[in-house]
């Protein structure tokens, strides 16, 4: 059996639509989990007495543990079976979601978010491996395009769903419902996935690179810890030492991985993947692009609720124009990606930058902006997201050989998640520091408008830089399943 010739778990071939549906539902739960928690963050803070740094960790801890586990998760699927790894990771994600919902303190919530992220880190890389190993090339291209659309939509569906769940306060559970909702959906996906998902693995798998995985995870923690906690600590010298140690650790990690490749072993991250200009440039562009999304929705949610006194539901409704804008252009992005992929990405990124620039003007000149004043620039941002997000994944992975699909997808997802955690840490630290709230008490006031206005120019810069990096990508892709055009 080869990676491209799956062995089915059942007695009859699985429906391609059923396979894609199961893996995309699981991926959607993972992608929504960051933004749905962002809109619930003020309620979590009030209920558990969380400090600003703990609020940041509720988002960053999930993204960090997810990112740290993704590449190893991809290798687990290659070695022991993608179906087995997917279902196991999904089961951990469901159980951890229930534990998050039951968390009695902010510290316990952060810890269970780490476990939830680890489960997702095993589950998510199997999505690409299952799609590529069980579908023909044309179906694969369509499925990857659908994943890109799910990725974009999930980024803006979370706030609306989170606001609805928090405000309706089902059974008096409040913010806890944003975690409980994963349980029934996940159980259904597990039941269907057990029946329809085919099994596949990479032939001749080597030993897992646990040393590399540990170095990667430890280095990322050292980088993020001072960024998130710096305001609470008062930015001591030893905090900067930790940050420097994390950067050095990442350099050591790359050196260890190169040594494993030289000896013919299989590292958690094959540095040879980074030698391709299109793939490495695409990683940088994707990291910059998605790195701003998690922080944007977290800080927008805090600003709207703590700064303007809006409810969680109203906050979710304010983001609705973003969703509508993305829906309008996402189909166009997929349809035109074959010939104009790079142009769409650059255009979409610059449109998002322009939307943040407009929002910055509104926040800076209006004490309590109306729904339309906030919604108009968000609509523009959604239009840009719909153009860029759907074809971005396909364009970055287009030149990667099928045999390296799991590893490359794991690297791409890792970089995106770590960038999201870095964005939450860095921009969150700037936001809360400017708001003058580094203790446990966070109350309504105009300081949040000033803080959000201070963060938005950095958001603009992120998407301008992303547009520049996107020039390194191929101009487009061939028809679904084809090879990237030069």
């Amino acid at each position: 059996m080869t990676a491209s010739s799956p062995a089915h778990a059942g007695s009859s071939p699985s429906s391609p639509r059923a396979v894609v549906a199961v893996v995309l539902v699981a991926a959607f739960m993972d992608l929504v989990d960051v933004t749905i928690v962002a809109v619930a963050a003020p309620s979590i803070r009030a209920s558990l007495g969380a400090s600003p740094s703990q609020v940041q960790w509720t988002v960053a801890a999930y993204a960090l543990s997810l990112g740290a586990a993704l590449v190893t998760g991809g290798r687990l699927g290659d070695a022991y079976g993608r179906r087995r790894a997917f279902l196991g990771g999904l089961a951990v994600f469901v159980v951890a979601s229930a534990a998050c919902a039951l968390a009695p303190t902010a510290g316990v919530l952060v810890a269970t978010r780490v476990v939830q992220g680890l489960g997702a880190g095993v589950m998510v890389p199997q999505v690409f491996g299952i799609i590529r190993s069980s579908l023909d090339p044309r179906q694969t291209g369509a499925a990857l395009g659908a994943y890109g659309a799910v990725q974009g939509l999930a980024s803006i569906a979370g706030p609306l769903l989170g606001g609805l769940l928090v405000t309706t306060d089902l059974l008096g559970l409040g913010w806890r419902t944003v975690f409980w909702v994963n349980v029934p959906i996940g159980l259904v996906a597990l039941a269907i996935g057990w029946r329809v998902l085919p099994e596949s693995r990479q032939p001749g798998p080597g030993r897992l690179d646990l040393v590399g995985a540990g170095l990667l995870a430890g280095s990322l923690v050292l980088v993020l810890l001072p960024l998130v906690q710096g305001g609470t600590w008062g930015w001591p010298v030893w905090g900067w030492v930790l940050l420097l140690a994390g950067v050095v650790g990442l350099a050591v990690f790359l050196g260890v991985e190169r040594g494993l490749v030289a000896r013919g072993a299989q590292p958690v991250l094959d540095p040879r993947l980074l030698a391709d200009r299109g793939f490495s440039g695409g990683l940088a562009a994707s990291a910059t692009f998605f790195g701003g999304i998690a922080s944007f929705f977290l800080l927008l949610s805090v600003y709207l609720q703590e700064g303007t006194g809006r409810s969680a539901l109203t906050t979710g409704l304010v983001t609705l124009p973003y969703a509508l804008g993305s829906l309008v252009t996402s189909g166009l992005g997929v349809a035109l990606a074959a010939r104009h992929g790079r142009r769409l990405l650059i255009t979409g990124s610059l449109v998002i930058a322009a939307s943040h620039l407009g929002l910055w003007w509104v926040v800076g000149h209006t004490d309590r902006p109306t729904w339309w004043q906030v919604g108009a620039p968000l609509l523009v941002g959604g239009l840009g997201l719909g153009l860029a997000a759907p074809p971005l994944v396909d364009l970055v992975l287009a030149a990667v050989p099928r045999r390296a699909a799991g590893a490359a997808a794991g690297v791409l997802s890792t970089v995106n998640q770590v960038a999201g955690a870095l964005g939450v840490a860095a921009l969150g630290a700037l936001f809360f520091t400017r708001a003058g709230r580094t203790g446990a008490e966070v109350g309504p006031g105009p300081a949040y408008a000033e803080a959000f206005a201070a963060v938005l120019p950095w958001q603009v810069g992120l998407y301008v830089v992303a547009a520049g990096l996107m020039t390194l990508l191929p101009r487009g892709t061939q028809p679904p399943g084809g090879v990237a055009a030069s």
Side-chain angles (χ1 to χ4, degrees):
M1 180 182 67
T2 66
S4 58
S5 301
H8 292 276
S11 59
S12 59
S14 303
S15 163
R17 291 185 178 181
V19 170
V20 172
V22 169
V23 296
L24 290 188
V25 164
F28 185 81
M29 285 196 301
D30 158 58
L31 293 166
V32 156
D33 215 69
V34 174
T35 50
I36 198 173
V37 172
V39 79
S43 297
I44 293 173
R45 177 204 59 78
S47 173
L48 300 180
S51 67
S53 61
Q54 289 173 323
V55 170
Q56 290 172 259
W57 277 118
T58 59
V59 176
Y62 176 82
L64 175 60
S65 61
L66 169 60
L70 276 170
V71 178
T72 300
R75 296 294 304 137
L76 283 170
D78 289 343
Y80 299 107
R82 298 181 180 112
R83 173 183 180 271
R84 181 180 301 172
F86 176 85
L87 294 176
L90 178 56
V92 172
F93 181 86
V94 171
V95 172
S97 295
C100 289
L102 295 169
T105 66
V108 172
L109 177 59
V110 171
T112 52
R113 287 282 281 168
V114 170
V115 178
Q116 192 186 31
L118 292 174
V122 176
M123 172 183 71
V124 169
Q126 316 314 323
V127 171
F128 293 99
I130 289 172
I131 287 174
R132 287 182 177 265
S133 65
S134 59
L135 305 179
D136 64 41
R138 184 167 295 276
Q139 292 171 330
T140 296
L144 290 176
Y147 176 84
V150 165
Q151 191 173 36
L153 291 174
S155 298
I156 42 81
L160 186 59
L161 180 59
L164 180 64
L165 291 173
V166 171
T167 303
T168 53
D169 194 21
L170 294 173
L171 303 177
L173 294 173
W175 59 267
R176 299 178 189 273
T177 54
V178 305
F179 297 110
W180 281 124
V181 72
N182 290 331
V183 177
I185 297 174
L187 290 175
V188 170
L190 275 170
I192 298 176
W194 184 269
R195 294 180 60 86
V196 306
L197 290 182
E199 185 61 283
S200 66
R201 58 175 57 89
Q202 190 74 21
R207 297 178 59 185
L208 294 176
D209 177 20
L210 297 180
V211 173
L215 270 174
L216 176 61
S219 300
L220 291 174
V221 169
L222 289 175
V223 169
L224 286 182
L225 190 61
L227 290 177
V228 175
Q229 298 290 146
T232 302
W233 291 343
W235 302 106
V237 173
W238 55 267
W240 295 102
V241 172
L242 288 179
L243 181 61
L244 178 61
V247 173
V248 173
L250 290 174
V252 172
F253 164 73
L254 289 176
V256 169
E257 302 305 276
R258 290 191 182 96
L260 289 176
V261 171
R263 296 194 298 271
Q266 294 181 323
V268 70
L269 168 62
D270 189 341
R272 292 174 297 184
L273 286 171
L274 305 179
D276 183 89
R277 177 175 175 269
F279 183 65
S280 58
L283 286 179
S286 185
T288 307
F289 184 87
F290 288 109
I293 290 179
S295 60
F296 174 71
F297 282 108
L298 172 62
L299 302 181
L300 175 65
S301 175
V302 174
Y303 158 68
L304 289 174
Q305 294 181 61
E306 302 283 10
T308 69
R310 285 177 165 86
S311 68
L313 178 58
T314 303
T315 295
L317 290 173
V318 167
T319 68
L320 185 58
Y322 211 110
L324 296 176
S326 178
L327 287 172
V328 167
T329 55
S330 59
L332 182 65
V334 173
L336 298 181
R339 295 186 60 186
H340 306 290
R342 187 170 70 186
R343 294 175 185 172
L344 288 174
L345 297 182
I346 294 171
T347 300
S349 191
L350 292 177
V351 168
I352 295 175
S355 76
H356 289 330
L357 191 62
L359 187 58
W360 172 72
W361 188 92
V362 169
V363 172
H365 291 79
T366 309
D367 291 336
R368 194 180 190 280
T370 65
W371 187 90
W372 285 106
Q373 286 174 316
V374 177
L378 290 181
L379 174 64
V380 174
L383 293 172
L385 184 70
L387 286 176
L392 180 54
V393 171
D394 205 10
L395 226 64
V396 174
L397 295 178
V400 178
R402 184 178 292 266
R403 61 179 173 78
V411 172
L412 175 59
S413 298
T414 296
V415 168
N416 288 346
Q417 292 296 334
V418 171
L422 284 170
V424 169
L427 296 182
L430 173 62
F431 177 87
F432 286 111
T433 299
R434 288 297 297 266
R437 304 290 198 272
T438 56
E441 182 180 355
V442 182
Y448 285 99
E450 298 172 7
F452 195 50
V455 168
L456 285 171
W458 290 93
Q459 289 277 349
V460 173
L462 278 176
Y463 289 101
V464 170
V465 171
L469 292 171
M470 287 167 180
T471 61
L472 301 175
L473 289 168
R475 294 179 181 176
T477 63
Q478 294 292 339
V483 180
S486 60

